[in-house]
Amino acid sequence: MLEVYIDGASAGNPGPSAIGIFIKGEDHFIKLSEPIGMANNHVAEFIALVRGLEEAKKLTKGMVSFRSDSKIVVASVEKEFVKNAEYQPYLEKALVLIKEFDFFFIKWVPDTQNKAADALAREGIQKNNA
């Protein structure tokens, strides 16, 4: 099973933003830190979800367990619905990707349990100007 920790961060709301993805399990230990330009924090969290799914898909079609400290992302995936139209395209893409796995789990975790992805996202903010 792959464990995928995701996070989005913004320096301002909106502002320069980035995502962090930490994948472990099945002999993988992957850290991704990517700038995404100007966005708000929720958009960054949804982009992190989609990118995390894309990366996990490269490694397995089996079982994946996602962890996020974003309640809106976790609730949206669980309900397969999001009120804000701005987030809808990201959720739709995520739901398509989720169906490609044999088993998919997502769980909300407190910030203290998502430090690796958070650090990667914050690191990525600095890359926006690089």
Side-chain angles (χ1 to χ4, degrees):
M1 176 178 75
L2 286 182
E3 290 181 52
V4 183
Y5 292 80
I6 58 171
D7 201 12
S10 297
N13 206 14
S17 301
I19 59 169
I21 301 166
F22 174 56
I23 302 172
K24 66 180 185 176
E26 297 183 13
D27 296 324
H28 297 288
F29 192 85
I30 300 167
K31 294 180 178 182
L32 298 168
S33 174
E34 297 178 359
I36 59 169
M38 298 294 283
N40 68 46
N41 192 61
H42 290 312
V43 168
E45 296 280 4
F46 276 100
I47 290 172
L49 170 66
V50 171
R51 285 288 293 122
L53 288 163
E54 290 170 345
E55 291 301 318
K57 191 174 93 166
K58 293 176 187 176
L59 305 172
T60 187
K61 300 283 189 250
M63 186 181 308
V64 294
S65 180
F66 273 62
R67 307 282 197 280
S68 173
D69 58 22
S70 171
K71 290 182 180 180
I72 189 171
V73 166
V74 173
S76 297
V77 170
E78 288 175 342
K79 295 176 185 175
E80 297 186 4
F81 175 79
V82 65
K83 286 182 186 177
N84 189 322
E86 182 180 10
Y87 313 141
Q88 189 65 38
Y90 303 108
L91 178 60
E92 288 175 7
K93 187 167 186 177
L95 293 174
V96 168
L97 290 165
I98 287 167
K99 287 179 176 44
E100 296 184 29
F101 295 99
D102 293 337
F103 297 98
F104 172 85
F105 304 95
I106 190 165
K107 179 181 177 183
W108 177 83
V109 293
D111 296 342
T112 56
Q113 294 179 27
N114 204 28
K115 288 183 179 178
D118 177 69
L120 291 165
R122 294 186 183 286
E123 178 185 311
I125 289 174
Q126 306 307 315
K127 296 177 184 176
N128 272 295
N129 299 323

